[in-house]
Amino acid sequence: MSTKDLFATRTSRMKASEIRELLKLLDQPGIISFAGGIPDPTLFPADEFAAAFQRALAPDSRALALQYSVSEGYLPLREWLVDHMRQIGVECGVENVLITSGSQQALDYLGKLYLSPGDTALVGWPTYLGALAAFNAYEPRFDRLHVNGNQGEPEYAAAAGEGAVKFAYLSPDFANPTGETVDLRGREDLLDLADDLNCAVIEDGAYQALRYNGEPIPPVLALELARKGSIEDCRTVYCGSFSKTLSPGLRVGWVVAAKPVISQLVLMKQAADLHSATINQMAVNDVARACFDTHIPKLRRVYGARRDTMLGALQRHMPDGVEWTRPEGGMFIWVTLPKGVNGADLLEKALETVKVAFVPGQAFFPDATGSNTIRLSFSNSDEDTIREGIRRLGDVLRA
Amino acid sequence: MSTKDLFATRTSRMKASEIRELLKLLDQPGIISFAGGIPDPTLFPADEFAAAFQRALAPDSRALALQYSVSEGYLPLREWLVDHMRQIGVECGVENVLITSGSQQALDYLGKLYLSPGDTALVGWPTYLGALAAFNAYEPRFDRLHVNGNQGEPEYAAAAGEGAVKFAYLSPDFANPTGETVDLRGREDLLDLADDLNCAVIEDGAYQALRYNGEPIPPVLALELARKGSIEDCRTVYCGSFSKTLSPGLRVGWVVAAKPVISQLVLMKQAADLHSATINQMAVNDVARACFDTHIPKLRRVYGARRDTMLGALQRHMPDGVEWTRPEGGMFIWVTLPKGVNGADLLEKALETVKVAFVPGQAFFPDATGSNTIRLSFSNSDEDTIREGIRRLGDVLRA
């Protein structure tokens, strides 16, 4: 094995294994888990998927559904995505859309496309763990991307001169892990910064559709389009996913970008896995056309109520000195514990004494700071469970 | 974009685009295509898949089918694969099996695991184009792996001293593109060579199940196991695929290797796409258990007859000076044209004058030699079409 891979693996192993061990907890009986950032499976449009897979495997389409396909993805789905992107402010053509196996794959390919060892990637501090893992394989250094998070003036650090900045990565709406949203001013400032640094922007829209209150803010790519007039002049690469809206298990996501970027990604995908599963793309296309617009409001109602319940429970049960975010959407609330309280220690104690799970926040920081933070997910627990779990967590924290 | 990616993309672009342009021909009416190495879609066990997807989406399993899953893959499918591998001579446990999105993804991950820029990969000359594309992303140099191909003494070139040899890649049974098989002696010699060079062996078993005549030869991994006693002491990594047997469109393949290799690949997969689609793994598991053993003989009969028909037609219609392989399985016959006849020129002429498509052989050589070779696939044409297409090809060659 090459040195680079030993290195890349070492840096990602600790964090990956933390999450992996945590995911195993979900299967233990009696555990109240706020750990996994996963959708509630009872909300999947499963009847629609059953019908869609049946249609895909009907005599006239089964040969298509089970056969090799093109690397760009299933054309009708890419056409639906062109419409979908237009609805959120992004005018593009099918040639600007690539289907990926979840947006996680897009992050891997974008790391491969942009990063050489020693290059700089700007990321949030904290940021999505899976983005760090995907980029780590290409051995960048990480520098801190300051975004306002709706809390006053944005402040950006230019990267130190140690490695060219290749991109800024962010999830502007209800980010994993903080739940925070970058406001309009923050997005515009980010575009200024990217122009100054001549770097790409990787916009992770995984949670974009899941807004529970407040006005939608245009995607960074939509704002750049408004400035530049054509997607071909944009440096922002938008990564979308059906994982949080229709189903994560089908592994269908997408990338929208200028044609030269898409062309490079298509070649990468062809070399890396040929194409995403044909039948899954057909089924997602079918279900998206049948019920995306009616399904999303349903998710918003259920998840929004769970968010409210968790916020209320935190208010009721957390001792003084504990702070948390108040997300307008997504799946996560980010809790900052009093200084000196360690999130990993708290997890150990919470599991042992009250059977409550969550993710210690440290893993989301490229430099493993943030030891006094934890991430709570409200998406996959009913409201009673949320109330009970937060009550127990409050007990542990006061003990 | 980094220099490495520009480079990697440049080297793979030409070959990728050649194949991509060719694949587009398949859609043209009236074309007889021996180009794509794709299974006949009328042979997919589509009824079985329709039932399997329906079962996966039944009320008691739909939450599992549509939800996130573990990176290692769906356990019951890995258990089936342990049985399957035992039947072809490889004793291993589920912890030695990783599910990938087709064996193409395994090749990408193995490139990422083993190769740093300048390292040497030993490959056939010619070899599978998709392997070259996958490995190229990690900027190796390629050196020639000599295997006997059943034609006398094996002869191996030790790699020149320019870069450490990290692995030897081969598809020992009915390889793409030549259709040739490495005999027992060749496989044993390869294991000696790998021990001498202290490098891995990547065994691509994509066509392993599709033998039409002759006795099966144990996989390289089975032979190494016989030498070393435990898979944990083996350097061979076996890559399997359901693409040629059940369905390519579902993108389900697997890797079998020693636990430390699997652990590294699991971490890579987690960072790169989290996991392969859950429902597809469930469906493949279901269909494999229901009919793999009865389906394979059916494929062998149909494809075997097509191979015989193509060999007969070549005998009848090829002019003197044209030579071809006589594969014992797989999907391909490899044709060597008289010196000075260019395969790409012949394709252009054949398309124009007689509407016959195939793949010029040059793209399968790392150094773009072999301009007087072409690859014919017999898997996706009925026997009449094969006879007619080869007759036409003979006409063009004589003209």
mmCIF file of all heavy atoms in Angstrom, chain A residues 362-398:
data_model
loop_
_atom_site.group_PDB
_atom_site.id
_atom_site.type_symbol
_atom_site.label_atom_id
_atom_site.label_comp_id
_atom_site.label_asym_id
_atom_site.label_seq_id
_atom_site.Cartn_x
_atom_site.Cartn_y
_atom_site.Cartn_z
ATOM 1 N N GLN A 362 -16.781 16.662 18.213
ATOM 2 C CA GLN A 362 -15.369 16.807 17.869
ATOM 3 C C GLN A 362 -15.029 16.297 16.468
ATOM 4 O O GLN A 362 -14.218 16.901 15.755
ATOM 5 C CB GLN A 362 -14.557 16.028 18.905
ATOM 6 C CG GLN A 362 -13.110 16.447 18.975
ATOM 7 C CD GLN A 362 -12.446 15.964 20.271
ATOM 8 O OE1 GLN A 362 -13.086 15.284 21.092
ATOM 9 N NE2 GLN A 362 -11.189 16.298 20.453
ATOM 10 N N ALA A 363 -15.678 15.194 16.069
ATOM 11 C CA ALA A 363 -15.356 14.581 14.774
ATOM 12 C C ALA A 363 -15.673 15.502 13.600
ATOM 13 O O ALA A 363 -15.147 15.309 12.502
ATOM 14 C CB ALA A 363 -16.122 13.273 14.615
ATOM 15 N N PHE A 364 -16.501 16.515 13.811
ATOM 16 C CA PHE A 364 -16.901 17.392 12.713
ATOM 17 C C PHE A 364 -15.924 18.552 12.515
ATOM 18 O O PHE A 364 -16.102 19.352 11.614
ATOM 19 C CB PHE A 364 -18.306 17.951 12.977
ATOM 20 C CG PHE A 364 -19.376 16.894 13.068
ATOM 21 C CD1 PHE A 364 -19.757 16.357 14.285
ATOM 22 C CD2 PHE A 364 -19.990 16.409 11.918
ATOM 23 C CE1 PHE A 364 -20.737 15.376 14.375
ATOM 24 C CE2 PHE A 364 -20.970 15.436 11.991
ATOM 25 C CZ PHE A 364 -21.345 14.915 13.220
ATOM 26 N N PHE A 365 -14.923 18.627 13.378
ATOM 27 C CA PHE A 365 -13.921 19.689 13.252
ATOM 28 C C PHE A 365 -12.657 19.120 12.618
ATOM 29 O O PHE A 365 -12.132 18.118 13.096
ATOM 30 C CB PHE A 365 -13.576 20.262 14.633
ATOM 31 C CG PHE A 365 -14.682 21.044 15.267
ATOM 32 C CD1 PHE A 365 -15.689 20.408 15.979
ATOM 33 C CD2 PHE A 365 -14.714 22.431 15.165
ATOM 34 C CE1 PHE A 365 -16.713 21.127 16.567
ATOM 35 C CE2 PHE A 365 -15.739 23.163 15.753
ATOM 36 C CZ PHE A 365 -16.741 22.509 16.455
ATOM 37 N N PRO A 366 -12.167 19.756 11.534
ATOM 38 C CA PRO A 366 -10.963 19.233 10.891
ATOM 39 C C PRO A 366 -9.789 19.121 11.848
ATOM 40 O O PRO A 366 -8.911 18.279 11.665
ATOM 41 C CB PRO A 366 -10.680 20.259 9.793
ATOM 42 C CG PRO A 366 -12.005 20.883 9.491
ATOM 43 C CD PRO A 366 -12.729 20.906 10.806
ATOM 44 N N ASP A 367 -9.754 19.965 12.886
ATOM 45 C CA ASP A 367 -8.624 19.919 13.828
ATOM 46 C C ASP A 367 -9.003 19.274 15.152
ATOM 47 O O ASP A 367 -8.274 19.386 16.136
ATOM 48 C CB ASP A 367 -8.083 21.332 14.065
ATOM 49 C CG ASP A 367 -9.156 22.270 14.634
ATOM 50 O OD1 ASP A 367 -10.338 21.843 14.762
ATOM 51 O OD2 ASP A 367 -8.822 23.425 14.937
ATOM 52 N N ALA A 368 -10.152 18.575 15.155
ATOM 53 C CA ALA A 368 -10.580 17.848 16.356
ATOM 54 C C ALA A 368 -10.696 18.744 17.577
ATOM 55 O O ALA A 368 -10.459 18.312 18.702
ATOM 56 C CB ALA A 368 -9.651 16.650 16.625
ATOM 57 N N THR A 369 -11.038 20.015 17.354
ATOM 58 C CA THR A 369 -11.414 20.861 18.495
ATOM 59 C C THR A 369 -12.905 20.622 18.751
ATOM 60 O O THR A 369 -13.480 19.664 18.240
ATOM 61 C CB THR A 369 -11.161 22.351 18.184
ATOM 62 O OG1 THR A 369 -11.804 22.682 16.941
ATOM 63 C CG2 THR A 369 -9.663 22.624 18.076
ATOM 64 N N GLY A 370 -13.538 21.490 19.504
ATOM 65 C CA GLY A 370 -14.988 21.372 19.710
ATOM 66 C C GLY A 370 -15.375 20.209 20.594
ATOM 67 O O GLY A 370 -16.452 19.619 20.438
ATOM 68 N N SER A 371 -14.510 19.862 21.548
ATOM 69 C CA SER A 371 -14.796 18.684 22.370
ATOM 70 C C SER A 371 -16.030 18.888 23.258
ATOM 71 O O SER A 371 -16.605 17.927 23.734
ATOM 72 C CB SER A 371 -13.582 18.332 23.229
ATOM 73 O OG SER A 371 -13.310 19.388 24.128
ATOM 74 N N ASN A 372 -16.443 20.141 23.441
ATOM 75 C CA ASN A 372 -17.623 20.383 24.289
ATOM 76 C C ASN A 372 -18.907 20.582 23.475
ATOM 77 O O ASN A 372 -19.813 21.283 23.895
ATOM 78 C CB ASN A 372 -17.393 21.601 25.200
ATOM 79 C CG ASN A 372 -17.281 22.894 24.400
ATOM 80 O OD1 ASN A 372 -16.720 22.878 23.311
ATOM 81 N ND2 ASN A 372 -17.815 23.982 24.920
ATOM 82 N N THR A 373 -18.948 19.934 22.290
ATOM 83 C CA THR A 373 -20.152 20.043 21.460
ATOM 84 C C THR A 373 -20.727 18.656 21.189
ATOM 85 O O THR A 373 -20.000 17.655 21.208
ATOM 86 C CB THR A 373 -19.839 20.715 20.110
ATOM 87 O OG1 THR A 373 -18.805 19.967 19.446
ATOM 88 C CG2 THR A 373 -19.368 22.149 20.308
ATOM 89 N N ILE A 374 -22.032 18.616 20.915
ATOM 90 C CA ILE A 374 -22.682 17.367 20.496
ATOM 91 C C ILE A 374 -23.729 17.682 19.424
ATOM 92 O O ILE A 374 -24.240 18.798 19.347
ATOM 93 C CB ILE A 374 -23.365 16.618 21.679
ATOM 94 C CG1 ILE A 374 -24.502 17.442 22.264
ATOM 95 C CG2 ILE A 374 -22.342 16.276 22.746
ATOM 96 C CD1 ILE A 374 -25.323 16.693 23.313
ATOM 97 N N ARG A 375 -24.001 16.684 18.571
ATOM 98 C CA ARG A 375 -25.026 16.839 17.540
ATOM 99 C C ARG A 375 -26.223 15.958 17.884
ATOM 100 O O ARG A 375 -26.068 14.761 18.132
ATOM 101 C CB ARG A 375 -24.470 16.428 16.174
ATOM 102 C CG ARG A 375 -25.426 16.746 15.014
ATOM 103 C CD ARG A 375 -25.017 16.045 13.733
ATOM 104 N NE ARG A 375 -25.345 14.631 13.771
ATOM 105 C CZ ARG A 375 -25.162 13.787 12.750
ATOM 106 N NH1 ARG A 375 -24.608 14.228 11.620
ATOM 107 N NH2 ARG A 375 -25.481 12.511 12.856
ATOM 108 N N LEU A 376 -27.396 16.586 17.881
ATOM 109 C CA LEU A 376 -28.640 15.851 18.123
ATOM 110 C C LEU A 376 -29.450 15.830 16.829
ATOM 111 O O LEU A 376 -29.658 16.873 16.212
ATOM 112 C CB LEU A 376 -29.473 16.538 19.205
ATOM 113 C CG LEU A 376 -28.835 16.726 20.583
ATOM 114 C CD1 LEU A 376 -29.788 17.508 21.492
ATOM 115 C CD2 LEU A 376 -28.513 15.363 21.207
ATOM 116 N N SER A 377 -29.932 14.652 16.442
ATOM 117 C CA SER A 377 -30.818 14.567 15.286
ATOM 118 C C SER A 377 -32.243 14.304 15.765
ATOM 119 O O SER A 377 -32.475 13.446 16.617
ATOM 120 C CB SER A 377 -30.372 13.440 14.353
ATOM 121 O OG SER A 377 -31.369 13.230 13.373
ATOM 122 N N PHE A 378 -33.182 15.081 15.221
ATOM 123 C CA PHE A 378 -34.580 14.904 15.636
ATOM 124 C C PHE A 378 -35.419 14.200 14.580
ATOM 125 O O PHE A 378 -36.618 14.004 14.758
ATOM 126 C CB PHE A 378 -35.215 16.265 15.973
ATOM 127 C CG PHE A 378 -35.053 17.309 14.880
ATOM 128 C CD1 PHE A 378 -35.855 17.300 13.747
ATOM 129 C CD2 PHE A 378 -34.061 18.282 14.979
ATOM 130 C CE1 PHE A 378 -35.698 18.247 12.748
ATOM 131 C CE2 PHE A 378 -33.893 19.237 13.970
ATOM 132 C CZ PHE A 378 -34.707 19.220 12.855
ATOM 133 N N SER A 379 -34.791 13.782 13.464
ATOM 134 C CA SER A 379 -35.587 13.332 12.321
ATOM 135 C C SER A 379 -36.193 11.944 12.502
ATOM 136 O O SER A 379 -37.254 11.665 11.960
ATOM 137 C CB SER A 379 -34.726 13.352 11.055
ATOM 138 O OG SER A 379 -33.544 12.599 11.246
ATOM 139 N N ASN A 380 -35.525 11.092 13.254
ATOM 140 C CA ASN A 380 -35.961 9.688 13.282
ATOM 141 C C ASN A 380 -36.504 9.256 14.652
ATOM 142 O O ASN A 380 -36.420 8.088 15.010
ATOM 143 C CB ASN A 380 -34.815 8.773 12.822
ATOM 144 C CG ASN A 380 -35.297 7.378 12.486
ATOM 145 O OD1 ASN A 380 -36.479 7.176 12.186
ATOM 146 N ND2 ASN A 380 -34.405 6.400 12.548
ATOM 147 N N SER A 381 -37.047 10.193 15.438
ATOM 148 C CA SER A 381 -37.668 9.857 16.726
ATOM 149 C C SER A 381 -39.024 10.555 16.799
ATOM 150 O O SER A 381 -39.156 11.707 16.376
ATOM 151 C CB SER A 381 -36.806 10.357 17.896
ATOM 152 O OG SER A 381 -35.480 9.893 17.784
ATOM 153 N N ASP A 382 -40.008 9.851 17.348
ATOM 154 C CA ASP A 382 -41.310 10.527 17.489
ATOM 155 C C ASP A 382 -41.257 11.522 18.642
ATOM 156 O O ASP A 382 -40.292 11.557 19.423
ATOM 157 C CB ASP A 382 -42.445 9.511 17.651
ATOM 158 C CG ASP A 382 -42.307 8.673 18.910
ATOM 159 O OD1 ASP A 382 -41.864 9.201 19.947
ATOM 160 O OD2 ASP A 382 -42.629 7.478 18.837
ATOM 161 N N GLU A 383 -42.273 12.344 18.746
ATOM 162 C CA GLU A 383 -42.195 13.466 19.690
ATOM 163 C C GLU A 383 -42.098 13.024 21.156
ATOM 164 O O GLU A 383 -41.355 13.617 21.943
ATOM 165 C CB GLU A 383 -43.368 14.421 19.459
ATOM 166 C CG GLU A 383 -43.265 15.077 18.082
ATOM 167 C CD GLU A 383 -44.421 16.018 17.767
ATOM 168 O OE1 GLU A 383 -44.739 16.849 18.632
ATOM 169 O OE2 GLU A 383 -44.993 15.905 16.669
ATOM 170 N N ASP A 384 -42.819 11.967 21.517
ATOM 171 C CA ASP A 384 -42.708 11.470 22.893
ATOM 172 C C ASP A 384 -41.283 11.014 23.193
ATOM 173 O O ASP A 384 -40.755 11.272 24.279
ATOM 174 C CB ASP A 384 -43.680 10.290 23.106
ATOM 175 C CG ASP A 384 -45.121 10.772 23.242
ATOM 176 O OD1 ASP A 384 -45.313 11.991 23.454
ATOM 177 O OD2 ASP A 384 -46.040 9.939 23.119
ATOM 178 N N THR A 385 -40.704 10.307 22.234
ATOM 179 C CA THR A 385 -39.340 9.819 22.420
ATOM 180 C C THR A 385 -38.361 10.987 22.544
ATOM 181 O O THR A 385 -37.423 10.946 23.344
ATOM 182 C CB THR A 385 -38.946 8.908 21.237
ATOM 183 O OG1 THR A 385 -39.929 7.883 21.104
ATOM 184 C CG2 THR A 385 -37.588 8.279 21.455
ATOM 185 N N ILE A 386 -38.594 12.010 21.729
ATOM 186 C CA ILE A 386 -37.726 13.189 21.804
ATOM 187 C C ILE A 386 -37.817 13.815 23.194
ATOM 188 O O ILE A 386 -36.803 14.114 23.838
ATOM 189 C CB ILE A 386 -38.109 14.207 20.707
ATOM 190 C CG1 ILE A 386 -37.699 13.677 19.330
ATOM 191 C CG2 ILE A 386 -37.451 15.568 20.984
ATOM 192 C CD1 ILE A 386 -38.213 14.504 18.156
ATOM 193 N N ARG A 387 -39.042 14.008 23.691
ATOM 194 C CA ARG A 387 -39.216 14.600 25.029
ATOM 195 C C ARG A 387 -38.516 13.760 26.097
ATOM 196 O O ARG A 387 -37.775 14.284 26.936
ATOM 197 C CB ARG A 387 -40.706 14.734 25.346
ATOM 198 C CG ARG A 387 -41.333 16.032 24.826
ATOM 199 C CD ARG A 387 -42.784 16.179 25.281
ATOM 200 N NE ARG A 387 -43.667 15.301 24.528
ATOM 201 C CZ ARG A 387 -44.376 15.680 23.437
ATOM 202 N NH1 ARG A 387 -44.314 16.930 23.013
ATOM 203 N NH2 ARG A 387 -45.138 14.820 22.798
ATOM 204 N N GLU A 388 -38.722 12.448 26.019
ATOM 205 C CA GLU A 388 -38.150 11.552 27.023
ATOM 206 C C GLU A 388 -36.613 11.550 26.934
ATOM 207 O O GLU A 388 -35.913 11.609 27.947
ATOM 208 C CB GLU A 388 -38.710 10.132 26.823
ATOM 209 C CG GLU A 388 -38.090 9.040 27.657
ATOM 210 C CD GLU A 388 -38.316 9.230 29.164
ATOM 211 O OE1 GLU A 388 -39.207 10.028 29.541
ATOM 212 O OE2 GLU A 388 -37.580 8.597 29.950
ATOM 213 N N GLY A 389 -36.103 11.494 25.720
ATOM 214 C CA GLY A 389 -34.646 11.439 25.521
ATOM 215 C C GLY A 389 -33.958 12.705 26.011
ATOM 216 O O GLY A 389 -32.910 12.635 26.671
ATOM 217 N N ILE A 390 -34.547 13.848 25.704
ATOM 218 C CA ILE A 390 -33.924 15.113 26.128
ATOM 219 C C ILE A 390 -34.027 15.270 27.664
ATOM 220 O O ILE A 390 -33.107 15.779 28.308
ATOM 221 C CB ILE A 390 -34.582 16.305 25.393
ATOM 222 C CG1 ILE A 390 -34.335 16.195 23.878
ATOM 223 C CG2 ILE A 390 -34.052 17.633 25.929
ATOM 224 C CD1 ILE A 390 -32.891 16.234 23.442
ATOM 225 N N ARG A 391 -35.150 14.795 28.216
ATOM 226 C CA ARG A 391 -35.275 14.821 29.679
ATOM 227 C C ARG A 391 -34.148 14.004 30.325
ATOM 228 O O ARG A 391 -33.460 14.461 31.241
ATOM 229 C CB ARG A 391 -36.635 14.246 30.097
ATOM 230 C CG ARG A 391 -37.008 14.466 31.569
ATOM 231 C CD ARG A 391 -38.230 13.657 32.006
ATOM 232 N NE ARG A 391 -38.074 12.207 31.832
ATOM 233 C CZ ARG A 391 -37.291 11.425 32.588
ATOM 234 N NH1 ARG A 391 -36.600 11.938 33.586
ATOM 235 N NH2 ARG A 391 -37.204 10.119 32.345
ATOM 236 N N ARG A 392 -33.928 12.803 29.786
ATOM 237 C CA ARG A 392 -32.861 11.947 30.324
ATOM 238 C C ARG A 392 -31.490 12.612 30.166
ATOM 239 O O ARG A 392 -30.634 12.535 31.042
ATOM 240 C CB ARG A 392 -32.843 10.613 29.585
ATOM 241 C CG ARG A 392 -34.051 9.737 29.847
ATOM 242 C CD ARG A 392 -33.804 8.369 29.245
ATOM 243 N NE ARG A 392 -35.036 7.599 29.076
ATOM 244 C CZ ARG A 392 -35.102 6.437 28.434
ATOM 245 N NH1 ARG A 392 -34.007 5.918 27.881
ATOM 246 N NH2 ARG A 392 -36.239 5.783 28.323
ATOM 247 N N LEU A 393 -31.296 13.234 29.000
ATOM 248 C CA LEU A 393 -30.008 13.886 28.738
ATOM 249 C C LEU A 393 -29.780 15.016 29.746
ATOM 250 O O LEU A 393 -28.652 15.215 30.226
ATOM 251 C CB LEU A 393 -30.005 14.425 27.302
ATOM 252 C CG LEU A 393 -28.646 14.710 26.669
ATOM 253 C CD1 LEU A 393 -27.751 13.492 26.653
ATOM 254 C CD2 LEU A 393 -28.846 15.230 25.247
ATOM 255 N N GLY A 394 -30.872 15.743 30.042
ATOM 256 C CA GLY A 394 -30.770 16.797 31.047
ATOM 257 C C GLY A 394 -30.366 16.231 32.409
ATOM 258 O O GLY A 394 -29.511 16.795 33.107
ATOM 259 N N ASP A 395 -30.952 15.069 32.759
ATOM 260 C CA ASP A 395 -30.591 14.415 34.027
ATOM 261 C C ASP A 395 -29.098 14.099 34.085
ATOM 262 O O ASP A 395 -28.431 14.350 35.081
ATOM 263 C CB ASP A 395 -31.382 13.101 34.191
ATOM 264 C CG ASP A 395 -32.868 13.350 34.455
ATOM 265 O OD1 ASP A 395 -33.223 14.522 34.738
ATOM 266 O OD2 ASP A 395 -33.648 12.391 34.368
ATOM 267 N N VAL A 396 -28.603 13.535 32.972
ATOM 268 C CA VAL A 396 -27.180 13.157 32.944
ATOM 269 C C VAL A 396 -26.306 14.396 33.079
ATOM 270 O O VAL A 396 -25.293 14.391 33.781
ATOM 271 C CB VAL A 396 -26.844 12.423 31.629
ATOM 272 C CG1 VAL A 396 -25.349 12.102 31.558
ATOM 273 C CG2 VAL A 396 -27.643 11.148 31.506
ATOM 274 N N LEU A 397 -26.708 15.459 32.389
ATOM 275 C CA LEU A 397 -25.894 16.673 32.422
ATOM 276 C C LEU A 397 -25.900 17.305 33.813
ATOM 277 O O LEU A 397 -24.902 17.885 34.249
ATOM 278 C CB LEU A 397 -26.425 17.679 31.399
ATOM 279 C CG LEU A 397 -25.726 17.612 30.051
ATOM 280 C CD1 LEU A 397 -26.503 18.383 29.015
ATOM 281 C CD2 LEU A 397 -24.297 18.136 30.139
ATOM 282 N N ARG A 398 -27.009 17.190 34.504
ATOM 283 C CA ARG A 398 -27.052 17.768 35.848
ATOM 284 C C ARG A 398 -26.342 16.898 36.873
ATOM 285 O O ARG A 398 -25.908 17.373 37.897
ATOM 286 C CB ARG A 398 -28.517 18.002 36.271
ATOM 287 C CG ARG A 398 -28.982 19.453 36.034
ATOM 288 C CD ARG A 398 -30.381 19.676 36.570
ATOM 289 N NE ARG A 398 -31.314 18.748 35.980
ATOM 290 C CZ ARG A 398 -32.005 18.997 34.863
ATOM 291 N NH1 ARG A 398 -31.886 20.144 34.266
ATOM 292 N NH2 ARG A 398 -32.816 18.082 34.362
#
